[in-house]
Amino acid sequence: MDKLIVKGKKPLHGNVEISGAKNAAVAILPAAIMANKGISNIENIPEIEDVHCIERILKSLGCRVKKQKNSITIDSTAMNNFVADTDDVRKMRASYYFIGALLSRFKKARVELPGGCPIGVRPIDQHIKGFEALGAEVSIEHGAVIVKANKLIGTNIFFDVVSVGATINVMLAATLAEGVTVLENVAKEPHVVDVANFLNSMGADIKGAGTDIIRVKGVKELKGCSYSVIPDQIEAGTYMIATAACGGQVTINNVIPKHLESISAKLIEMGATVIENGDSVTVKSNGKLKSVNVKTLPYPGFPTDVQQPMSTTLCVSKGRSIINESIWENRFKHVDELKKMGAHIKVEGRTAIVDGVDKLTGAVVKATDLRAGAAMVIAGLIAEGTTEILGIEHIDRGYPHIENKFKCLGADIKRVRI
Ligand code: EPZ
């Protein structure tokens, strides 16, 4: 096991390269098994534990998987296993995409119920509603989701809540169904669009991804393709927020600025400067920020996945900030850790009231989940003294080489074996 040791109070300067999007990659890799012909070559894959987990699941299902630096080739032509039941499946949330992908290809699947960050109840009722509407029988037995269908038939599905996972999963299932499926009240996140683009590159007929309605015209088969995953909106947002909090000037490269608009707008409101330049954004700050109110919302609203990093920054911003977490009911576990460092935060249900203090001071803290881990790194970077961050296996699930990227920006941060 490792921990991070951060010595704070250093402004950040330089350039940082953003990796491929975790939440796109963990859906695109399972979707690749839907091809019964050809090999897929997927590039811009982030070097993170969640991707390693998916790679092992793909192998356990009988795919041939070859990893080279940031690309993966997947040959799923000979696979015939529709049971995903390894420890890796139970460990991560995104393993639920194997339900939709296997159902689509084999018209049956057995997938152990997914795990993931402990940030709320995380139901999959909308995924199940979609599969059933397409004609599948769904049951949950001994901790596994079992789906089967004689055939899947396109239909109209109106989701009760806007869900990234349900939108993608049902889109996967509908891709090889008979006829047309219309999905309404869908998620519009950049990774939803990326998965639709990937499926279309394999031969699918999907229109409307990125709007409220997705129309999937079923096709008979898919074949492998070459594809490059979009940059990670959340990793980029994390470095933007860190720069605003620490002060300095950092250019964040390999991003799609459009995907970052809600984060840029908030940082500007707080007093930082954000300049878009093609496929990069530059953030400048003197580290003295104003309080703001933040409400997390589905895209294009402010992303829940950077709420925790943002809340750290608000701890040292002037005045009172109110954070409303509207997506997950339990995404303030990092608050107790921030309090150990001197933060003044009061949590009432889904709302956190943050009263800015002059400084945070280093302490031993833990990453309670992935984005809480990023929040702790930022806390360490802005705090006086030394911060030790435990539980960094959570961070490794979703942030490639976080300590190296921050080190290149001038931070004093190192990883040590415990
Ligand atoms: C995805 O989770 C992301 N994970 C999450 O990122 C992210 O926080 C979330 O979308 C929202 O943007 C992956 O992409 C692997 P949802 P997902 O279904 O798909 C409710 C990170 O840090 N809901 O959009 O599981 C649910 O309870 C992770 O990278 C239902 O009620 O989230 C929540 O309140 C953490 N029924 C809301 O919808 C369902 O069937 C949004 O959840 C499904 C969801």
Side-chain angles (χ1 to χ4, degrees):
M1 246 196 295
D2 294 344
K3 66 180 175 185
L4 290 174
I5 299 183
V6 189
K7 288 188 182 149
K9 284 272 171 232
K10 288 208 153 86
L12 302 179
H13 284 283
N15 287 271
V16 62
E17 301 298 317
I18 296 306
S19 302
K22 166 181 95 81
N23 289 342
V26 297
I28 284 173
L29 295 175
I33 67 167
M34 289 162 58
N36 62 354
K37 277 190 188 146
I39 295 173
S40 285
N41 181 34
I42 305 160
E43 293 179 357
N44 206 27
I45 295 286
E47 187 65 37
I48 50 172
E49 185 48 33
D50 271 11
V51 162
H52 299 151
C53 226
I54 297 266
E55 276 173 59
R56 293 191 292 268
I57 299 171
L58 288 168
K59 285 181 188 159
S60 76
L61 288 170
C63 293
R64 272 198 246 158
V65 181
K66 223 163 61 202
K67 178 95 198 293
Q68 281 164 331
K69 213 166 173 278
N70 293 119
S71 70
I72 296 186
T73 54
I74 301 172
D75 179 353
S76 58
T77 46
M79 77 171 270
N80 55 14
N81 184 3
F82 59 90
V83 178
D85 60 358
T86 58
D87 280 348
D88 288 313
V89 180
R90 285 182 285 270
K91 216 156 70 184
M92 67 181 303
R93 180 73 181 164
S95 56
Y96 56 32
Y97 291 130
F98 283 101
I99 309 173
L102 289 165
L103 175 66
S104 202
R105 171 143 178 209
F106 298 112
K107 305 295 171 270
K108 57 187 171 187
R110 181 191 167 95
V111 178
E112 295 281 324
L113 275 171
C117 281
I119 53 179
V121 181
R122 309 197 79 173
I124 55 165
D125 57 297
Q126 297 302 303
H127 305 230
I128 293 173
K129 167 177 158 160
F131 298 145
E132 286 178 339
L134 291 169
E137 256 179 53
V138 185
S139 59
I140 296 180
E141 290 172 25
H142 307 294
V145 181
I146 299 166
V147 286
K148 50 187 175 216
N150 288 332
K151 55 183 172 181
L152 296 172
I153 300 176
T155 184
N156 281 31
I157 299 164
F158 196 104
F159 290 108
D160 302 329
V161 295
V162 176
S163 157
V164 170
T167 301
I168 294 178
N169 230 344
V170 180
M171 188 166 76
L172 297 181
T175 292
L176 291 168
E178 286 175 19
V180 174
T181 301
V182 179
L183 305 176
E184 291 190 65
N185 196 26
V186 293
K188 294 178 279 201
E189 268 66 3
H191 34 292
V192 173
V193 180
D194 209 33
V195 178
N197 288 342
F198 172 69
L199 291 168
N200 284 340
S201 300
M202 290 206 296
D205 185 346
I206 301 171
K207 292 195 173 79
T211 73
D212 291 313
I213 302 179
I214 296 177
R215 187 173 171 278
V216 186
K217 195 167 170 201
V219 295
K220 289 217 159 25
E221 62 175 13
L222 299 178
K223 53 185 186 315
C225 69
S226 290
Y227 196 77
S228 182
V229 173
I230 51 163
D232 197 311
Q233 172 206 23
I234 305 304
E235 191 198 15
T238 303
Y239 286 96
M240 290 169 74
I241 291 168
T243 307
C246 294
Q249 176 169 338
V250 172
T251 297
I252 295 134
N253 293 317
N254 183 34
V255 299
I256 300 175
K258 176 97 196 126
H259 295 168
L260 302 170
E261 277 175 349
S262 62
I263 302 166
S264 301
K266 240 342 129 189
L267 292 178
I268 291 167
E269 201 181 322
M270 291 165 76
T273 304
V274 181
I275 303 159
E276 292 182 5
N277 354 269
D279 63 355
S280 67
V281 290
T282 299
V283 178
K284 277 194 241 178
S285 154
N286 60 8
K288 294 189 176 68
L289 301 169
K290 287 183 285 218
S291 57
V292 287
N293 294 336
V294 175
K295 182 176 171 120
T296 64
L297 285 169
Y299 188 82
F302 191 88
T304 169
D305 294 346
V306 287
Q307 174 266 110
Q308 291 156 303
M310 181 56 108
S311 65
T312 297
T313 306
L314 294 176
C315 288
V316 288
S317 300
K318 199 171 166 44
R320 170 171 284 194
S321 303
I322 312 278
I323 305 170
N324 181 247
E325 172 52 68
S326 83
I327 310 290
W328 300 113
E329 64 271 25
N330 202 0
R331 217 169 193 182
F332 286 128
K333 282 195 178 157
H334 62 300
V335 163
D336 285 340
E337 304 303 305
L338 288 172
K339 282 185 183 168
K340 289 182 192 163
M341 300 177 73
H344 284 189
I345 311 180
K346 198 166 139 207
V347 175
E348 286 173 1
R350 286 173 175 238
T351 301
I353 302 150
V354 186
D355 284 312
V357 292
D358 288 340
K359 61 174 186 187
L360 295 183
T361 48
V364 178
V365 293
K366 61 176 186 288
T368 50
D369 58 71
L370 166 61
R371 309 301 174 186
M376 288 307 127
V377 171
I378 296 176
L381 293 172
I382 57 181
E384 236 175 52
T386 303
T387 299
E388 282 190 28
I389 305 167
L390 309 174
I392 64 167
E393 59 281 1
H394 288 295
I395 302 178
D396 292 336
R397 284 191 33 226
Y399 287 93
H401 314 296
I402 195 165
E403 73 279 15
N404 294 340
K405 290 193 184 188
F406 273 118
K407 222 184 279 172
C408 286
L409 297 175
D412 186 343
I413 176 169
K414 65 179 180 199
R415 177 184 290 256
V416 293
R417 267 271 125 96
I418 302 178

